[in-house]
Amino acid sequence: RDKDDKHKFWTPKRWIVKEYKEKRKSIDDVERNTSKLKKSSEEKSKKIEKEEKIFRKTFMYDKEIGVINTATAECSVPSKRRVDLPVTAGEQLDVIDVMEGPAVICRNSEGRYGYVLVEHLNFR
């Protein structure tokens, strides 16, 4: 034997096969996780579409929905009416439309729409 052969480790073949199986399992797990993500994103998009449909019906809004600005809620405000959007302090909101008066139409991270008073918002 050479000196170099003395320091080499012998690995049985079954370990190599086991390592391959572990790698294969991890690949399968990744594929399963991506399918779960696809399902959850599909469910989320359906929920967003449902919220948008309710918004259009309730507010009689026929314009294209686009984000004008983003704002942060300064304080928590519960909704008093069905058309008001309940907000919590520090929540990020997308401003969809500016109305005449002290309120704007906003959308929260869950996809819900409603009126929020400008005095409760902080525009950056």
Side-chain angles (χ1 to χ4, degrees):
R1 283 185 163 189
D2 292 336
K3 287 184 178 181
D4 294 337
D5 290 340
K6 198 184 258 187
H7 298 290
K8 288 184 179 178
F9 292 104
W10 177 77
T11 57
K13 287 185 179 180
R14 63 186 175 140
W15 286 2
I16 295 170
V17 173
K18 189 175 183 180
E19 289 174 5
Y20 174 75
K21 285 181 181 178
E22 289 174 0
K23 286 180 184 178
R24 184 66 195 155
K25 282 182 183 178
S26 66
I27 292 170
D28 289 342
D29 290 344
V30 169
E31 290 173 358
R32 286 187 197 119
N33 288 341
T34 56
S35 66
K36 286 180 184 178
L37 289 173
K38 286 179 184 176
K39 287 180 183 178
S40 66
S41 64
E42 288 174 4
E43 291 171 0
K44 192 173 184 179
S45 65
K46 286 180 182 179
K47 183 180 178 184
I48 290 171
E49 287 176 12
K50 183 181 175 184
E51 290 290 339
E52 183 178 328
K53 192 174 183 180
I54 293 168
F55 163 70
R56 288 189 181 278
K57 186 177 178 182
T58 306
F59 288 81
M60 292 180 271
Y61 196 82
D62 57 350
K63 300 178 195 174
E64 185 177 336
I65 296 174
V67 178
I68 297 171
N69 201 348
T70 57
T72 307
E74 290 182 342
C75 58
S76 298
V77 181
S79 63
K80 296 179 182 177
R81 304 176 297 168
R82 184 174 174 225
V83 294
D84 292 338
L85 182 66
V87 294
T88 56
E91 183 178 11
Q92 292 285 334
L93 301 170
D94 295 330
V95 178
I96 303 299
D97 200 358
V98 179
M99 308 302 293
E100 291 180 19
V104 292
I105 297 176
C106 293
R107 175 178 61 200
N108 65 7
S109 60
E110 296 173 1
R112 294 192 60 207
Y113 296 85
Y115 290 117
V116 180
L117 294 175
V118 176
E119 62 192 43
H120 299 302
L121 298 176
N122 182 15
F123 297 92
R124 292 186 208 139

